[in-house]
Amino acid sequence: MRMAIPDFLSSGELAEIRAAARALRYADGRASAGWAARLVKENRQARREAATLALAARVERAILAHPLFQLAVRPKALTPLIFARYGAGESYGLHVDDAVMGGMRTDVSFTLFLADPADYEGGDLVIEDSGGQERIKMAAGGLYLYPSTTLHEVAPVTAGERMVCVGWARSFVRRAERRELLFDLDTARRAVFEKDGKSQAFDLLSKCAANLLREWAED
């Protein structure tokens, strides 16, 4: 399942996090790429220093606390977050994310956009599948999540600067189609509750949701 979550950060959180991200020290992003991805990656990433770790911890707390992220991803853990900047001429060519990062399986990839679309040209996140391409360029403070199994790229920035925070989640539910079924079921369950309260239909939907999660979860 792919999902765009606009206004993932409040305007106040966004301003503080963006300012802190700009103040970090950056280095060549190829250092964190695999041997093949390194050939097509050209960006700058924040060094793993105290200021970076503190900011990453703050953003991680916000991500894990977001109810829609919780429902869509069912996160068990996140990889260390990466703050990245792309200037004119920089890009990240077509690649698939590593299946294991830091000893953890990656199930869901996500990009938190920190720069306004008006601040840069190009730099779209492009996801490819059998149905074609999807191009994503969200407003600052928005988050986009998608299965880590996909081929994707960051199109070249032609002017300005793209700034993002990216990361990966291990889900309690490995398979994307099962995460989507659970999301739809939970959405329906909540809609029934809003309409009729704790009804028999709500209880049955809750039972199905809980038992499917019990069947599919890997703890």
Side-chain angles (χ1 to χ4, degrees), residues 128-160:
E128 291 198 0
D129 60 20
S130 58
Q133 289 186 343
E134 181 181 8
R135 305 182 74 91
I136 302 101
K137 190 174 185 178
M138 295 186 68
L143 182 141
Y144 191 84
L145 60 88
Y146 55 98
S148 299
T149 52
T150 60
L151 280 169
H152 57 280
E153 64 182 312
V154 176
V157 172
T158 57

Side-chain angles (χ1 to χ4, degrees), residues 76-92:
K76 180 175 183 178
L78 302 184
T79 64
L81 302 181
I82 294 174
F83 296 92
R85 302 171 80 162
Y86 294 75
E90 294 184 319
S91 63
Y92 195 164

Side-chain angles (χ1 to χ4, degrees), residues 107-183:
D107 298 315
V108 180
S109 305
F110 55 88
T111 297
L112 177 61
F113 291 80
L114 298 177
D116 289 310
D119 291 343
Y120 62 102
E121 297 176 8
D124 295 26
L125 171 63
V126 184
I127 298 176
E128 291 198 0
D129 60 20
S130 58
Q133 289 186 343
E134 181 181 8
R135 305 182 74 91
I136 302 101
K137 190 174 185 178
M138 295 186 68
L143 182 141
Y144 191 84
L145 60 88
Y146 55 98
S148 299
T149 52
T150 60
L151 280 169
H152 57 280
E153 64 182 312
V154 176
V157 172
T158 57
E161 184 178 63
R162 177 186 195 260
M163 184 164 61
V164 295
C165 175
V166 298
W168 296 264
R170 176 174 176 179
S171 175
F172 280 106
V173 179
R174 180 194 296 251
R175 291 170 54 178
E177 69 273 16
R178 290 179 174 178
R179 293 195 299 271
E180 185 169 359
L181 283 170
L182 287 168
F183 179 85

